[in-house]
Amino acid sequence: MHTRTEHPVGLTMGDAAGIGPEIIVRLYEQGLPHPAVVYGDAHALRRAIALVGAQSRWQVQEVDTPLLAPPGIIAVLNRWQALPEDLPYGQVNALAGRGAYEYLCHAIDDALAGRIRAIVTAPLNKQAMQAGGIAAPGHTEILAARSGTEHFAMMLANDELRVILVTIHEALAQVPALISHERVLQTIYLAHRACLQAGIAQPRVAVAGLNPHAGEGGKFGHEEIEHIAPAIAQARQEGLNVSGPWPGDTIFMRARQGEFDIVVAQYHDQGLIPVKYLGLDQGVNVTVGLPFIRTSVDHGTAYDIAGQGRADAASLASAYHLALTMSAHTP
């Protein structure tokens, strides 16, 4: 009987008109301590190999099922159609957008079946995906829906900070109504779980308030009193090391200085601006709560530099290595 960690990591190509194929090849060029299989288009990978001048080092082998490829081979799995060989770089393309969705779905199915160790995703373009007939907001929602996951959250991490979100892609005006005791509590649970998967034995979870000064005793809002603080209290009663609600303008610096292992932020920009301000090169996006490990780059398709051989694979490399770490700590 094989354990999940004996299987390859699944790398999804994302939008082939962007930098996804190139950064995947550059990741292989760095050397992989554990094998991978690419869910994507074979010709797009061959074109990326030529783009980075790696024809003498890598060949593409099309496969029907995830396998441990021999040295010098990039195994590519595509259960959808082939993309046009003259697919233009840097432009919204419906086929490339639909392909990104199909590659992700096939990787999810194989992860659920235990055929791959983890999923690491290159960026997709939401406009291209919608042009291809898929209305999902992004990776996170597709992953949760296809895997049947009810409680999930987005976490962004780098070497200095981990942040997990209570609400994700929501209009700011809608956020206060979405902050509930149950939702905050579930996110605290997921924050604790993510830290354990990262190898932190006793996670310290800090929860940010929604309002300025964490509401200042009800002066600037009541969400902290009615929902956030009670969720923290329940988590503490259950033995978790959780504190807050803390003002959002100071909690991230305290976490960066080592006081906490992860911050629970209430909405998208509250949590992601501090992480992205520290730089996108090493940032990793993690979907917490899935029945498998999924990590991703912390940047987009970079249409403006696609096809120019200038893409940086640092974020993808960080996502790949974090996927190895988290899957090693996950049964």
Side-chain angles (χ1 to χ4, degrees):
M1 181 177 179
H2 295 285
T3 62
R4 187 185 292 268
T5 55
E6 293 178 288
H7 296 295
V9 171
L11 302 173
T12 64
M13 180 184 290
D15 191 311
I19 63 172
E22 180 184 345
I23 60 176
I24 286 175
V25 173
R26 292 192 182 280
L27 176 65
Y28 275 87
E29 285 276 85
Q30 295 177 17
L32 302 183
H34 187 83
V37 61
V38 179
Y39 290 80
D41 182 77
H43 180 75
L45 259 294
R46 293 188 181 101
R47 190 164 65 161
I49 289 172
L51 183 66
V52 304
Q55 301 96 314
S56 64
R57 295 182 294 277
W58 296 102
Q59 293 183 349
V60 171
Q61 177 181 331
E62 297 181 64
V63 299
D64 296 322
T65 189
L67 52 75
L68 302 177
I73 297 296
I74 299 179
V76 180
L77 193 158
N78 185 4
R79 301 190 182 110
W80 194 56
Q81 67 189 54
L83 293 175
E85 293 192 1
D86 60 350
L87 179 76
Y89 282 118
Q91 298 179 23
V92 171
N93 183 283
L95 289 175
R98 181 57 180 260
Y101 170 78
E102 297 292 342
Y103 311 145
L104 177 62
C105 288
H106 300 154
I108 293 169
D109 293 345
D110 283 342
L112 290 171
R115 290 190 284 265
I116 54 178
R117 174 170 177 163
I119 298 176
V120 180
T121 60
L124 54 75
N125 182 284
K126 296 172 186 176
Q127 185 179 353
M129 188 170 65
Q130 290 165 2
I134 305 301
H139 271 121
T140 303
E141 292 81 2
I142 297 169
L143 285 152
R146 195 168 183 93
S147 66
T149 302
E150 180 181 2
H151 298 297
F152 62 95
M154 176 190 293
M155 179 181 80
L156 263 72
N158 55 33
D159 291 340
E160 299 181 74
L161 195 59
R162 293 181 193 86
V163 176
I164 192 167
L165 305 179
V166 175
T167 63
I168 306 176
H169 298 121
E170 305 288 352
L172 187 58
Q174 306 301 319
V175 169
L178 296 173
I179 302 300
S180 66
H181 177 113
E182 178 65 19
R183 196 160 186 167
V184 174
L185 182 63
Q186 287 296 332
T187 309
I188 291 171
Y189 292 154
L190 292 171
H192 181 82
R193 172 180 170 179
C195 289
L196 292 176
Q197 291 175 323
I200 300 171
Q202 297 179 329
R204 299 165 299 167
V205 180
V207 181
L210 172 67
N211 298 295
H213 300 190
E216 200 165 297
K219 183 177 180 180
F220 302 133
H222 294 270
E223 288 82 4
E224 287 79 8
I225 296 172
E226 296 174 359
H227 306 296
I228 301 174
I232 294 170
Q234 181 175 339
R236 289 178 62 86
Q237 290 174 357
E238 295 175 10
L240 276 64
N241 184 349
V242 189
S243 62
W246 301 108
D249 58 355
T250 57
I251 187 57
F252 300 100
M253 181 58 69
R254 293 172 63 185
R256 186 185 178 195
Q257 292 171 342
E259 190 173 346
F260 308 110
D261 297 306
I262 190 168
V263 176
V264 174
Q266 301 300 323
Y267 58 94
H268 187 278
D269 284 12
Q270 181 190 52
L272 300 198
I273 288 174
V275 179
K276 294 190 176 187
Y277 180 77
L278 295 173
L280 300 178
D281 290 349
Q282 304 298 325
V284 179
N285 183 331
V286 183
T287 306
V288 184
L290 300 171
F292 49 81
I293 298 301
R294 179 265 177 165
T295 65
S296 182
V297 296
D298 186 23
H299 58 72
T301 49
Y303 278 170
D304 57 325
I305 63 168
Q308 299 177 26
R310 299 195 291 121
D312 188 345
S315 181
L316 183 65
S318 295
Y320 166 82
H321 289 288
L322 182 58
L324 293 183
T325 297
M326 295 185 74
S327 57
H329 290 91
T330 303

